[in-house]
Amino acid sequence: MKNATLHFEFHISITALIMFLLKTWRASAFGVYGYLNFTRNGFLEHSKKFKPEDMEIRIEGKNCVVTGANSGIGFATAEALASCGATVYMVCRNKEKGETALSKIQSSTGNPNVHLEVCDLSSISEIKSFASRFSSKDVPVHVLVNNAGLMEQKRVTTSEGFELNFAVNVLGSYATTELMLPLLEIASPDARVITVSSGGMYTTPLTSDLQFSDGKFSGAEQYARNKRVQ
Ligand SMILES: NC(=O)c1ccc[n+]([C@@H]2O[C@H](COP(=O)([O-])OP(=O)(O)OC[C@H]3O[C@@H](n4cnc5c(N)ncnc54)[C@H](OP(=O)(O)O)[C@@H]3O)[C@@H](O)[C@H]2O)c1
C-alpha cells in the first residue's frame, strides 16, 4: 500500500496578509495602551498626579461654555468650573434636562452665574443660531469644552443629510469651535478649547469615509473613527 500524503495549499494575498498583521498589531497595541491608560487601573495611576489644590483656584470673570453639560463628564465639568467661580454656559439639547442640571449645579456650588443654552449639536443650522444668539451677548469666551458626544448604533441620517454620529461628534464640535472663534479671540491669550475625545480612537485608523457610507455600518467603529478625526 502506498503512503498517503496530505497536501494543503494556502493562497493569501500580500495585501490581505498586511491588513491582517496591521489589525493584529493595532488591536494588541490598543489592548496594552488601553489597559494602562483607560481602565480603572489607568484611572488610579493617572489620579496620583491629580492635585486637589488645583481645584482651589478662583476663576471669577471667566466665561466657560460646556456642551452636553446636563450629564456625565459635561455635568461634572460644568459643576467643577462653577464651583471655582466661573460663569458657566451649559449647552444642552433638551430644555427640561438642562434646567434640572442647571438648578442642581447652582444649588451644589452656590454660584448663580450658570446659564442654559438650548442647542441640538447635530444640526448646523441650530449651531449657527446658537452662535449668533450667544455672540449678541458680546462676552469673551475663555473656555470652550466640546464635550457632547454620542454612539448611535444604527445608521441614522440627520435632516441636513449627515450621518448622526459624525454630525454631533465631528461636525458639531468643529462648527461650534469655528463659530466661537471671534469670542475666543477676544479672550486670547487666555482662551482654551478642549475637545473630549476617547481612547477608543486607537482601535481604528484615520479614514476619508467620514460618514461611513461604505461597508457594513457599525456604531462603535464610527464612534472610534469620529474620535480619531476630532
Ligand atoms: N464615558 C466614557 O467612558 C467616555 C470615554 C471616552 C470619551 N468619552 C467622551 O466624553 C464625552 C461625554 O460622554 P459621557 O460619558 O459623559 O456621556 P453622556 O453622559 O451620555 O453625555 C453626553 C452628553 O452629550 C449630549 N448630546 C448628545 N447628543 C447631543 C446633541 N445632538 N446635541 C447636544 N448635546 C448632545 C447628551 O445630551 P442628552 O442627555 O440630551 O442625550 C449628554 O449631555 C463624549 O464626547 C464621549 O465621547 C466618554
Side-chain angles (χ1 to χ4, degrees):
M1 190 180 138
K2 283 187 183 166
N3 284 341
T5 311
L6 281 176
H7 186 72
F8 293 104
E9 274 187 36
F10 291 100
H11 295 279
I12 303 173
S13 81
I14 295 289
T15 320
L17 182 63
I18 290 173
M19 291 308 289
F20 171 76
L21 291 174
L22 256 178
K23 268 201 150 176
T24 311
W25 173 80
R26 194 175 293 122
S28 325
F30 176 69
V32 174
Y33 189 74
Y35 177 76
L36 294 174
N37 290 281
F38 304 113
T39 57
R40 184 176 164 74
N41 289 331
F43 169 76
L44 291 174
E45 198 48 41
H46 288 296
S47 65
K48 286 180 194 159
K49 295 179 196 146
F50 177 76
K51 299 189 205 115
E53 60 272 23
D54 284 351
M55 293 303 294
E56 282 160 22
I57 56 153
R58 302 301 302 164
I59 49 173
E60 272 92 1
K62 303 284 182 197
N63 300 311
C64 307
V65 177
V66 183
T67 70
N70 59 279
S71 72
I73 295 170
F75 178 87
T77 304
E79 188 176 42
L81 290 167
S83 75
C84 294
T87 297
V88 179
Y89 296 90
M90 303 168 66
V91 183
C92 306
R93 65 173 155 177
N94 181 291
K95 188 167 182 283
E96 287 69 39
K97 283 200 218 171
E99 282 170 349
T100 308
L102 182 145
S103 49
K104 270 191 198 158
I105 292 180
Q106 281 183 335
S107 65
S108 69
T109 63
N111 183 343
N113 299 317
V114 184
H115 310 279
L116 175 64
E117 297 290 335
V118 177
C119 177
D120 182 340
L121 295 159
S122 70
S123 157
I124 295 288
S125 72
E126 282 213 25
I127 297 173
K128 280 185 178 164
S129 324
F130 154 63
S132 130
R133 266 192 335 265
F134 198 87
S135 300
S136 67
K137 295 182 204 296
D138 215 18
V139 292
V141 172
H142 298 91
V143 180
L144 166 63
V145 186
N146 288 312
N147 162 78
L150 90 162
M151 189 198 298
E152 169 58 55
Q153 296 295 353
K154 293 195 198 97
R155 195 177 190 290
V156 177
T157 308
T158 67
S159 58
E160 292 169 350
F162 299 107
E163 188 283 317
L164 181 60
N165 292 287
F166 170 77
V168 178
N169 298 333
V170 178
L171 217 47
S173 300
Y174 178 80
T176 307
T177 308
E178 190 73 13
L179 293 167
M180 287 279 163
L181 273 183
L183 301 177
L184 287 156
E185 269 162 13
I186 303 174
S188 71
D190 271 354
R192 301 279 185 279
V193 177
I194 297 155
T195 297
V196 182
S197 192
S198 168
M201 72 170 171
Y202 292 108
T203 56
T204 190
L206 265 180
T207 166
S208 55
D209 183 14
L210 296 178
Q211 300 200 58
F212 216 127
S213 309
D214 300 330
K216 190 170 179 297
F217 185 80
S218 150
E221 167 79 20
Q222 176 63 336
Y223 174 83
R225 289 182 184 186
N226 290 172
K227 293 290 166 182
R228 247 308 178 206
V229 175
Q230 277 184 341

